[in-house]
Amino acid sequence: MLYDTIGRKESEWAGMTASQIRGVGEQSGSVLVIPVGSVEQHGDHLPVVTDTLLVEAMVDTAIERLDDVPVVVTPPVWSGFSPHHLSFGGTLSLEFAHLRATLEDIAHAGIQNGFDAVLFVNGHGGNSSLIDAVVSTVGADTDAEVLGTTYFQLASDRIEEIRTTETGGMAHGGEFETSLMLTLRPDLVGGPAVRDGEPMDEHYRWGGQDLLDGGNVAVYRSFDEYSSSGAIGTPKQASAETGERIRSVIGDELAALMTAIHEYNA
């Protein structure tokens, strides 16, 4: 529960005092990190909070690797844009315009504390175009540097070397997310008997096939057109060992990005 966990990390906005937050924001090259997740179905073997849990964990992993970078992390924005998951139930989705306005407001309020840069870290594929839009809308209205990234696309080349599945196996609720959850919260992962996923079957070969292969053509489909369980990919091949290797790679890459943002804006 939040009441039992807030304030355990030095860079955690929610556990700091207002003066402490302003103190970090006023440092040269300060970075405000805003994790953005979702609450949506992930098949029968993963909890609906998977995207929010993972993006917060990846940011935390990166923060642990930083050296003298003034950074503060806001509480994660836990609801994303997920209309394509609603048919399965268990999904809480905001309207595109509502989520965009929420992220813009959070960023502007954060910048008022003196931060030189804002980094949105996204953990849900359905948020990607929205994050890109917010980078532009906030960036045009502030002197702070505004950036956005989707964490699982940051180090795709290195993750390709780690995976044990072919393209499509690391789709929604597949090897990638299940492995990370087995590393971080194995108690929330269903057993092998319910780790069912179906191969990605997108009609257009230019469309997305995998978390690491978003494709060059966007097409809207409700997820029940892809899968009867809501999971796509090969979660049965997931392992905690693979998850730890993925976590390390992403942590390194995200930390390198935060360091580069700090140095450029100092």
Side-chain angles (χ1 to χ4, degrees), residues 209-227:
Q209 303 296 327
D210 200 87
L211 283 179
L212 306 185
D213 178 16
N216 299 310
V217 172
V219 56
Y220 177 81
R221 299 196 193 285
S222 174
F223 257 49
D224 56 11
E225 296 183 53
Y226 287 130
S227 169

Side-chain angles (χ1 to χ4, degrees), residues 70-215:
V71 60
V72 175
V73 182
T74 72
V77 179
W78 56 262
S79 185
F81 182 61
S82 306
H84 45 303
H85 291 280
L86 289 170
S87 61
F88 284 100
T91 296
L92 301 174
S93 179
L94 291 176
E95 293 293 334
F96 189 97
H98 295 166
L99 181 56
R100 189 187 76 179
T102 297
L103 296 179
E104 290 170 345
D105 287 348
I106 292 171
H108 282 300
I111 290 168
Q112 289 180 14
N113 288 269
F115 287 91
D116 294 320
V118 176
L119 173 64
F120 291 96
V121 181
N122 176 40
H124 165 52
N127 293 339
S128 296
S129 59
L130 189 149
I131 295 293
D132 290 344
V134 171
V135 167
S136 295
T137 57
V138 175
D141 291 337
T142 179
D143 292 332
E145 179 129 297
V146 185
L147 307 94
T149 187
T150 296
Y151 80 83
F152 48 79
Q153 296 175 345
L154 258 185
S156 56
D157 290 346
R158 294 176 65 188
I159 296 171
E160 284 285 0
E161 299 173 358
I162 295 172
R163 70 186 304 163
T164 66
T165 58
E166 299 298 324
T167 299
M170 281 188 165
H172 182 73
E175 182 192 15
F176 182 97
E177 292 179 311
T178 306
S179 292
L180 280 175
M181 287 296 292
L182 284 170
T183 294
L184 295 163
R185 287 298 303 272
D187 56 308
L188 296 180
V189 181
V194 295
R195 292 179 199 167
D196 292 323
E198 298 174 32
M200 187 72 177
D201 185 19
E202 172 50 54
H203 172 75
Y204 301 104
R205 62 182 175 86
W206 301 275
Q209 303 296 327
D210 200 87
L211 283 179
L212 306 185
D213 178 16

Side-chain angles (χ1 to χ4, degrees), residues 6-27:
I6 285 176
R8 294 186 176 180
K9 301 289 184 179
E10 291 184 1
S11 59
E12 187 184 334
W13 178 294
M16 302 169 71
T17 66
S19 59
Q20 288 173 330
I21 293 169
R22 292 196 304 271
V24 177
E26 291 167 359
Q27 294 182 46

